[in-house]
Amino acid sequence: MKFTKEHEWVERQGELAVEGITDFAQHSLGDVVSLELPKAGKAFKQGESLAIVDSMKASSDVYAAVSGEVAEVNEQLLQNPQWINESPYEKGWLVKLKPSDWNEADTLMDKEQYDEFVAKQEKH
Amino acid sequence: MDANSELKRTPFYDIHVRIGGRMVPFGGWEMPVQYEGIVAEHTAVRTAAGLFDVSHMGEVEVKGKQAFAFVQNLVANNVAKIQNGQCQYTPMCNEKGGIVDDLLVYRHDQEHFMLVINASNIEKDFAWMKAHNPMQAELRNISSETAELALQGPKAQAILQQLTDFSLDEIKYFWFSEFQVANIPMLVSRTGYTGEDGFELYFDPRFAEKAWEALFEVGKGDGLKPAGLGARDSLRLEAGLMLYGNDLDDDTTPLEAPLKWTVDLSKEFVGRRALLEKGPRKKLTGFELLERAVPRHGNKVVVEGREQGVVTSGGFSPTLQKSIGFAYIPPKPQETIGIVVREGKVAKAKCCSTRFYKREK
């Protein structure tokens, strides 16, 4: 699993990259009550906004962790947005992308780097 | 400079931190936005009870032979309509009819009132009151000497009743009385900002900890939860209640806001002339989003194909499971409007009453 500075996670699953938001992100957002997901087939460049997560407090963009085409979205999440809070790394996944270049994942943080990154943010 | 260094704290601050409140700046105060989570706290108030620290609210005591005349001239509602022991909601207007603040008037008697004002307006309001007091009523800002808790929800009465011999059935909606709760002298009104039954309790801040503990001691079995500003905001939005600074301000009149019912033009008061002469330039409408998105304060509004309005309050309603809000649009009634939820995305919305939620009585 790799992580972005915008607090997304991405994990390789065969030919696809599964993406969601991290536990730190869901905790800062608070109760997620709604979300907007992209249509399958739509292509995004790394860093482009591909989804919106709405919490009681604010609406936040979710950015593509890697460039690629949307292969599948988590339709069940639309009816159960609270899964993002309850299970950010499993039931709360957002999209599966078909990456155009796996090498882009190398630019992301691994778990150890991300934990350090979060620890620094929490100090502020 | 640390922005937090200027923030004021209520007598419940240590409790909030101890029980895991997430503290945020609000109107010059450091307040809990949530404890367990906004939805859980919101739901507790709709189904059981929630306890809010609202000690940041301001209180002004008005006394003397001229007390009634002072208040009657100060506010837009007709204070002659309330009796001793009754409360009244009213705007306080400037000469242009704009709203200086919205407040609750408590009438002890003809010569003694308490005015409850918004936290962020305390200094502004008190200066305004002093400047509009030709009859020399005695005014005292007692905000820092007053702790306030709001106990709200269908179980509020059952919880509070366990702490007092006074029969709470005797306090009708928007009335108040003074008696002991948990052996603490309190002023208790049947009022609130959530759309539920409930009480607001005013007392000496040195009893803050004791009052909080006593309420939870008897309330936990009934599902009482501490509730923060996040739930307070989503509850008042569902109930169609205005928030000063968002929905009301110095440039907005009560006739533009849905507060016509609080204005009595048949009596004299500051701002009356302007309200009589000036037609509304805008109107507040409730709206319900027809698309998946959440409207927020400050979103622009498209009316008849043009951006000519603004969302002043918006959010997701946990009770109705819908996105709702208030927007100011030109006075002509509309069936649908567009909410610019973010750059490039206009979500369709249906105009409706601001009373999204009404409790069953």
Side-chain angles (χ1 to χ4, degrees), chain A residues 26-37 52-59 61 77-79, chain B residues 22 33-34 36-40 42 230 234 292-294 296 315-318 321 323 341-342 345:
Chain A
Q26 72 76 17
H27 184 76
S28 332
L29 285 171
D31 293 317
V32 175
V33 289
S34 174
L35 66 158
E36 294 164 58
L37 295 173
I52 306 283
V53 173
D54 300 301
S55 77
M56 286 297 283
K57 286 181 281 190
S59 301
D61 288 292
L77 205 54
L78 294 171
Q79 302 312 316
Chain B
R22 204 180 283 184
V33 64
Q34 64 169 66
E36 181 186 341
I38 297 174
V39 174
H42 182 111
S234 53
R292 190 182 284 276
V294 179
R296 308 283 181 187
F316 186 82
S317 158
Q321 291 288 307
S323 284
V341 289
R342 59 180 174 273
K345 161 105 182 177

Side-chain angles (χ1 to χ4, degrees), chain B residues 79-137:
Chain B
V79 185
K81 286 186 181 159
I82 57 168
Q83 298 169 33
N84 297 348
Q86 208 171 355
C87 314
Q88 185 179 57
Y89 172 74
T90 179
M92 169 168 82
C93 291
N94 57 37
E95 305 289 354
K96 291 179 177 167
I99 303 169
V100 178
D101 203 359
D102 62 330
L103 46 110
L104 278 188
V105 175
Y106 285 71
R107 178 184 163 126
H108 287 276
D109 61 54
Q110 184 89 357
E111 297 183 13
H112 184 195
F113 290 81
M114 177 171 77
L115 309 177
V116 180
I117 58 184
N118 283 298
S120 53
N121 289 341
I122 296 174
E123 281 76 29
K124 177 183 84 165
D125 286 2
F126 195 57
W128 179 264
M129 290 172 190
K130 285 191 287 188
H132 292 81
N133 184 19
M135 53 290 271
Q136 308 255 297

Side-chain angles (χ1 to χ4, degrees), chain B residues 97 116 265 312 354:
Chain B
V116 180
L265 292 168
T312 51
T354 51

Side-chain angles (χ1 to χ4, degrees), chain B residues 181-361:
Chain B
V181 173
N183 297 316
I184 303 164
M186 292 194 185
L187 185 158
V188 177
S189 60
R190 195 169 211 128
T191 50
Y193 194 49
T194 60
E196 291 303 326
D197 186 24
F199 300 90
E200 291 179 297
L201 319 172
Y202 302 84
F203 52 97
D204 189 318
R206 69 196 152 108
F207 299 120
E209 187 111 2
K210 188 181 167 192
W212 183 279
E213 300 299 342
L215 284 161
F216 275 100
E217 184 68 35
V218 299
K220 59 180 186 246
D222 279 318
L224 178 66
K225 286 187 177 180
L229 291 178
R232 186 167 159 84
D233 192 48
S234 53
L235 288 157
R236 68 94 195 168
L237 178 63
E238 287 182 350
L241 301 168
M242 302 291 113
L243 172 62
Y244 195 89
N246 276 35
D247 312 307
L248 311 175
D249 59 39
D250 296 288
D251 294 319
T252 301
T253 77
L255 306 181
E256 293 167 337
L259 297 179
K260 193 174 174 206
W261 62 279
T262 65
V263 178
D264 189 341
L265 292 168
S266 71
K267 60 144 208 173
E268 194 51 57
F269 63 93
V270 181
R272 171 176 178 264
R273 181 165 297 277
L275 293 176
L276 279 171
E277 288 170 359
K278 200 163 63 175
R281 301 153 296 175
K282 58 182 182 181
K283 273 280 186 191
L284 186 138
T285 180
F287 67 85
E288 195 185 301
L289 232 57
L290 302 172
E291 294 176 43
R292 190 182 284 276
V294 179
R296 308 283 181 187
H297 171 75
N299 288 166
K300 296 277 194 303
V301 178
V302 177
V303 183
E304 292 175 344
R306 245 174 3 105
E307 264 185 22
Q308 42 182 343
V310 65
V311 173
T312 51
S313 288
F316 186 82
S317 158
T319 310
L320 308 170
Q321 291 288 307
K322 282 176 191 168
S323 284
I324 58 174
F326 306 148
Y328 277 104
I329 59 172
K332 187 180 149 197
Q334 301 290 333
E335 275 185 20
T336 59
I337 53 178
I339 309 296
V340 186
V341 289
R342 59 180 174 273
E343 217 184 306
K345 161 105 182 177
V346 182
K348 197 172 172 186
K350 184 178 81 177
C351 292
C352 59
S353 153
T354 51
R355 298 280 306 276
F356 300 101
Y357 169 84
K358 275 188 205 138
R359 76 185 153 103
E360 288 163 28
K361 290 187 184 169

Side-chain angles (χ1 to χ4, degrees), chain A residues 82-94:
Chain A
Q82 73 281 6
W83 287 354
I84 292 181
N85 299 116
E86 293 164 6
S87 173
Y89 300 112
E90 286 163 32
K91 280 159 77 180
W93 67 274
L94 293 165

